[in-house]
Amino acid sequence: MPSLKNPCSECKSKHLKCDEDTIQCRRCITKGLQCFRPGRKRPFRDGSSAKYDAQFADNQNWVNTSAREFRLHTKPQGPAQRIAPEASPILSARQEDGRMHPDRSNLNSLRSPGQHAGSPSTPNSASGSADSFAASPLTLQQTQTTPHSSFRTTKSPVLPVLSQQGPSWGGLLHEFEPKNDSDATLVAIQEACLLRYYVTVLSHWFDICDPRSRFQLLVPDRARRYPPLRYAIYAVAARHICRLPELQTPDGILYQGQLLPNLTPDTAVEYMLKCIPVLKEFHETRDEETRELIVTTAVILRQFEEMDHDEDEDEESTSTDPVNSTPIYGRVNFLAILNAVLRSSNSADLVKRLDLLEASYWIALRQEVYYALRRGYSPQMMEPPVDWADISPENKLVLHTSQVAKWLYDDKSETEWQRLKQQERHLDQHVVDGLSPILSLAPDRAKGEVFPTIWYASSMALTGMQHHMVAKMILIAESPFLGGQTDPRAAYREAEGKVRALVLDVCGIALQHPATPPAIVNAALSIQLYGSYFTDPWEREGLRGMVQRFKGKQAWPVPKVLQEFR
């Protein structure tokens, strides 16, 4: 049975049904009682029912009380910001007949010019004129203390007004809400530029031996659903883009017509630090797809770390200056993460099921080869849990170079050297023939040319052959049998000549393929290893020009050995 809206006092006191059809109910008429209907009490409602011109009952004590403080929550978590009443404007009102009435004539003066006096002034009204009142930077000041005092409006540059219609929370101080319009726009533009720079420039560094271009096509899509991977992309892109002098302006980085005033080298570190908690909790992750994404994140961050080192071993120890350095990233061993995945994976995972895991392994292997040869230590990468026949030709050459680096800095036995030379001959017969250059011309000394002209049909063949040449020069220069020859000096001179020819070939390949940035990185590595074998001034001048190109064009850190190369 529906409840009555306005029963008389007699029926209500006895909890009887009252007849509301007439002015006096039948029960009161029959018994000769006075039928009095007190009227329904109007409760206070926050929101659409609370109007600036509302009248409140006398028994609502809150009307005549003053707020002790305001508590403003600007974040989903954390303590609220406490604001004293003196710091918050309060609409002054006059007290009349025990009830509070704002001066309506002055409220009408606050309306916009297009709003007439009879238009609704409720903040939640459908009329657009309410917004101008709720967000007005004006505060009311009481000028007289008489019951019929008037109000005047003055601009207040410091104190905001109470807004019941803020952009994110109703009933909060609009002025204290986060300034997210311009800042969010700048961040969105910056991150869009970083993502585009990764896709158009840096992703090719990772996909240099991947015909499916998974780091260009798959990684950005996965990064949309996995924030640590997205932050890793932003970090490596910000690090590299800040090193390019042609993009720097007095107002900030200018990329593709977009000015990025907040993009600095510290921005790259900030993005990188957002990935560290996920990497440190890697061993607690059991989901295979999540582990695959963590490995991909680690591989990208390792590229960031590789670009962040300006010198050799001195860079390994991080600075203790908390202001001018950020040493936190050096505590994460990205290689250990990948090795842990490989120990728990099988060949099916690496070859068939987990595409990004397979791509990440070969990228990490190339990174480890570069690290090991540049810094002089044995590569720590595990061997791939796959058969030799399942490895692509280019990756076979990279894997062979990794084994040569392990022999150079670890074993260096005659037996292992002979095994590696036999493996080299096998690669020359069955792999290198399929990666032969489409053009090969010797340098014309009469024209002052130092480096040969060598063209390859693909960046994959180029990268594989450069690694193979580096492995060859190591086995030739470091052969344990050179000292046992009949004429050791002649044997050393012959070996040095072969090594110099290989270094010039690697550099010539890099010069002829400027669209493949890792090629010049491999050329600089070969100069670092055996640049001392060159005595001809013209050749050394050519090598110095290659080092300058490596430093200026590719924005890559120059090792100390190359900085001192003269």
Side-chain angles (χ1 to χ4, degrees), residues 528-547:
Q528 176 183 341
L529 291 174
Y530 298 108
S532 59
Y533 281 26
F534 289 85
T535 57
D536 182 83
W538 193 247
E539 291 179 341
R540 292 185 67 86
E541 182 65 25
L543 295 181
R544 281 194 293 270
M546 180 64 64
V547 172

Side-chain angles (χ1 to χ4, degrees), residues 409-450:
Y409 297 113
D410 190 9
D411 188 3
K412 216 168 187 180
S413 63
E414 296 180 357
T415 304
E416 181 64 13
W417 183 88
Q418 292 175 341
R419 188 194 71 81
L420 292 174
K421 288 295 292 184
Q422 182 179 0
Q423 184 170 276
E424 178 187 293
R425 290 189 291 270
H426 173 80
L427 292 173
D428 289 337
Q429 295 175 3
H430 300 90
V431 176
V432 174
D433 287 344
L435 304 177
S436 57
I438 60 176
L439 177 65
S440 181
L441 300 176
D444 189 349
R445 299 291 182 178
K447 298 180 180 180
E449 296 178 352
V450 175

Side-chain angles (χ1 to χ4, degrees), residues 189 192-194 196-197 200-201 241 246-247 253-260:
I189 294 175
C193 291
L194 294 177
R196 177 176 179 176
Y197 187 79
T200 57
V201 178
I241 203 173
E246 61 269 21
L247 300 181
I253 301 295
L254 183 63
Y255 175 70
Q256 296 293 327
Q258 299 295 332
L259 183 63
L260 308 176

